[in-house]
Amino acid sequence: MQITADRSSSPTPPLSASPAFGNGLRANRLKTTKQGGKLVNDYWTDLFAAKEDGRKVVWYNGTYIPPFFHAHDVAWVHGEAWSAYLAAKHGEIPAQQAGEARGYDRELCSYARTHIGQALIDMRNVAEGKLGMAPDDPRALTMAKLPPPDMFINAYPYCSSGQQWDDIIYRLYGKRIPIFNVSIPLLWGGRPDAGYLRGQEWDERSQYVARQLRAMTEFLEEHTGRKYDWDRLREVMGFIKQAATLRLEAMDLCTARPAPASFFDWIVSIAHVNFLPGTQAIVDYFQAVKDEIQQRIANGEGAVPNEKYRLFFDGMMNWNKVGWLADKFAAVDATVVAGRYTHMSFWQEPDLVDLKDPVLGMAQNYLICPNNHGAPIMIGEINKLCDKFGIDGMVMHASRTCRGMTNSQFLIADSAKRNGRQALFFEGDVADESFYKDELLNTRLEAMIESMEARRLQAA
């Protein structure tokens, strides 16, 4: 039975609908991040042509393993990226409805539900020779181009839905396409010597993941008929290590007041260190981002025109609402400076990667996805970030279908309050816009701003 929902495409009410959003200011976004969209579009264009170019295609989910594919000249489809791409273009609803009609509940990870639903549409369209929507609908041309898989690989840390996602699509394709699973275990941190990047558990699990990654290269060799090119992997990782280092250096510059870039600038730069090819282009991109940030600091220019409050965003991004949320916080003179999703993931520790033999360092970067840590270590790292960036309050995006990200949020909020920071919760989702309620966020954000202002007046 198909589950129906209110999926109206009517525009969200204007910010001025709430008294807190009356100044009309908008976020001052980095110009270089807008230019970075070309790199993302180039990736999709190249991917859509992969079959015509005679390349094998792997569909994968999970952590940032594309360097292994890039080095072996295999095209890759990142399931989360594809779902976010559809959501950002407001083309996700047909896919989500197809998943629901097949029996996948709306509470299932909307990344997975969107990707599975789109796979169902693609398979039906191929069988029936149609696109399933109006021929002149621009979304149809995009959706029809995703190349079918030759292989599946799953490398999902922390998330049980993600670990089953590829297996579901594997079954949809009749179990005829080879599949490989990389197990990335949780770092519980329960041993006496456990800590961030240290302890027996860390050492053992680093080696455990590294062994599986080497076995994954053998899987790629088997299903392409070609010997794996380790020299090429070292070359690719050289570019990624440079890009990741520049990204972290640029983020650190945002301790400046006003912050020259915001969480939303880093959100639109995730693709570049998550699944784009490791080439000189991403190095140049993050160098340009860093240069613009340095120039903004010299000019006293902020990501929010009149910064008064500095916030931390916890939770996955709502890909339907990136620009909308950036402007909403700017309208109350609040800069969302950092976040768990952006500042604690995606080659967060590039110095661990030894370019002579990069596999162990790659495995370790996959292990330190923030959700993969036990709560005490993860919350400790969050508190360090909040101290570093001078955070006044935390915004907890309780993504309705992403339990992996939301499970620990009450603990994080409690820790924030103990450290003198305000916290608010609002509900939304990564790719299903129907879960987002603008009025709820407006009310809670207004209350938090009033509370932070009252606390400042008391301290004055």
Side-chain angles (χ1 to χ4, degrees):
M1 182 179 76
Q2 182 169 341
I3 301 172
T4 60
D6 179 10
R7 296 171 179 274
S8 170
S9 59
S10 60
T12 310
L15 292 174
S16 58
S18 172
F21 306 104
N23 64 23
L25 294 177
R26 292 185 175 273
N28 180 23
R29 302 176 203 175
L30 291 174
K31 294 180 177 61
T32 43
T33 56
K34 295 178 183 178
Q35 296 166 6
K38 182 180 183 303
L39 296 178
V40 179
N41 290 334
D42 288 347
Y43 158 79
W44 291 111
T45 299
D46 180 72
L47 173 64
F48 295 152
K51 291 290 188 178
E52 298 171 16
D53 296 339
R55 284 177 291 160
K56 296 279 190 179
V57 176
V58 58
W59 285 18
Y60 84 100
N61 284 301
T63 194
Y64 18 107
I65 55 174
F68 287 101
F69 310 143
H70 185 189
H72 202 55
D73 197 27
V74 171
W76 58 93
V77 175
H78 184 23
E80 295 98 316
W82 179 240
S83 296
Y85 179 84
L86 292 177
K89 289 182 172 293
H90 302 286
E92 78 284 5
I93 292 177
Q96 291 172 3
Q97 290 177 335
E100 292 163 26
R102 181 68 175 241
Y104 295 106
D105 193 273
R106 286 187 64 231
E107 299 290 334
L108 173 67
C109 166
S110 62
Y111 275 158
R113 181 161 44 92
T114 304
H115 189 203
I116 293 167
Q118 190 57 51
L120 289 165
I121 290 173
D122 291 343
M123 293 168 70
R124 185 173 67 241
N125 290 341
V126 169
E128 299 177 1
K130 64 181 183 181
L131 293 173
M133 57 183 67
D136 60 347
D137 190 324
R139 294 173 298 174
L141 299 176
T142 298
M143 294 178 186
K145 292 178 180 178
L146 193 65
D150 297 298
M151 293 168 274
F152 294 113
I153 292 180
N154 186 280
Y156 229 113
Y158 79 82
C159 174
S160 59
S161 295
Q163 291 159 8
Q164 299 173 67
W165 178 349
D166 284 299
D167 189 61
I168 291 170
I169 301 181
Y170 169 70
R171 296 199 300 271
L172 291 178
Y173 276 89
K175 301 183 180 180
R176 295 186 301 271
I177 297 172
I179 186 170
F180 187 91
N181 290 293
V182 178
S183 171
I184 301 178
L186 290 167
L187 296 168
W188 292 108
R191 297 179 182 177
D193 64 347
Y196 183 67
L197 309 185
R198 63 179 172 83
Q200 180 183 357
E201 180 185 47
W202 167 250
D203 293 336
E204 292 175 349
R205 298 195 173 186
S206 297
Q207 292 292 343
Y208 173 69
V209 175
R211 288 193 298 270
Q212 294 177 78
L213 295 174
R214 293 188 178 96
M216 184 181 72
T217 66
E218 296 172 3
F219 172 83
L220 292 171
E221 288 180 332
E222 178 185 355
H223 295 288
T224 59
R226 291 182 281 109
K227 185 175 177 60
Y228 196 78
D229 191 340
W230 291 99
D231 289 336
R232 183 82 187 284
L233 180 64
R234 286 186 278 271
E235 177 187 6
V236 168
M237 285 308 302
F239 291 121
I240 289 174
K241 186 172 181 177
Q242 290 179 67
T245 301
L246 286 166
R247 174 178 176 264
L248 292 173
E249 290 171 351
M251 283 179 164
D252 285 348
L253 291 170
C254 294
T255 56
R257 292 176 182 267
S262 79
F263 168 83
F264 302 102
D265 292 308
W266 301 120
I267 277 290
V268 298
S269 295
I270 281 178
H272 305 76
V273 287
N274 185 14
F275 64 88
L276 292 197
T279 66
Q280 183 64 41
I282 62 168
V283 177
D284 294 342
Y285 171 72
F286 282 109
Q287 182 64 63
V289 170
K290 182 181 175 183
D291 290 346
E292 184 180 1
I293 285 174
Q294 288 176 319
Q295 187 60 53
R296 282 192 170 193
I297 292 173
N299 296 341
E301 181 181 357
V304 167
N306 298 319
E307 178 186 294
K308 290 180 66 177
Y309 314 101
R310 294 165 71 91
L311 305 178
F312 184 95
F313 192 101
D314 190 86
M316 203 71 79
M317 189 56 222
N318 184 323
W319 290 106
N320 305 95
K321 296 288 185 183
V322 177
W324 174 256
L325 290 173
D327 289 340
K328 181 179 293 292
F329 288 99
V332 292
D333 301 328
T335 305
V336 183
V337 184
R340 177 160 48 127
Y341 187 47
T342 50
H343 286 59
M344 295 174 67
S345 302
F346 310 108
W347 304 112
Q348 186 61 25
E349 298 289 347
D351 288 344
L352 293 175
V353 179
D354 180 355
L355 295 179
K356 295 178 182 177
D357 184 9
V359 174
L360 178 61
M362 296 170 76
Q364 291 174 327
N365 271 272
Y366 304 156
L367 275 167
I368 57 173
C369 168
N371 305 338
N372 219 43
H373 286 291
I377 292 175
M378 178 184 67
I379 293 172
E381 294 302 307
I382 290 173
N383 286 334
K384 288 178 187 176
L385 278 175
C386 290
D387 290 341
K388 177 179 181 177
F389 288 103
I391 298 299
D392 301 305
M394 301 190 76
V395 178
M396 320 298 291
H397 177 213
S399 183
R400 180 68 170 266
T401 71
C402 184
R403 278 81 176 170
M405 202 76 177
T406 59
N407 281 341
S408 56
Q409 284 187 323
F410 283 108
L411 296 174
I412 295 169
D414 285 344
S415 177
K417 291 174 183 177
R418 288 197 301 273
N419 284 278
R421 298 185 177 100
Q422 301 293 309
L424 72 81
F425 281 79
F426 78 98
E427 191 169 84
D429 195 57
V430 292
D432 189 335
E433 188 173 10
S434 68
F435 287 118
Y436 175 77
K437 298 295 182 287
D438 198 60
E439 297 81 2
L440 179 63
L441 176 56
N442 285 349
T443 301
R444 293 182 178 179
L445 179 56
E446 185 173 357
M448 185 169 81
I449 294 294
E450 290 176 353
S451 180
M452 289 191 297
E453 187 63 24
R455 177 171 291 188
R456 286 187 178 184
L457 290 174
Q458 290 174 358

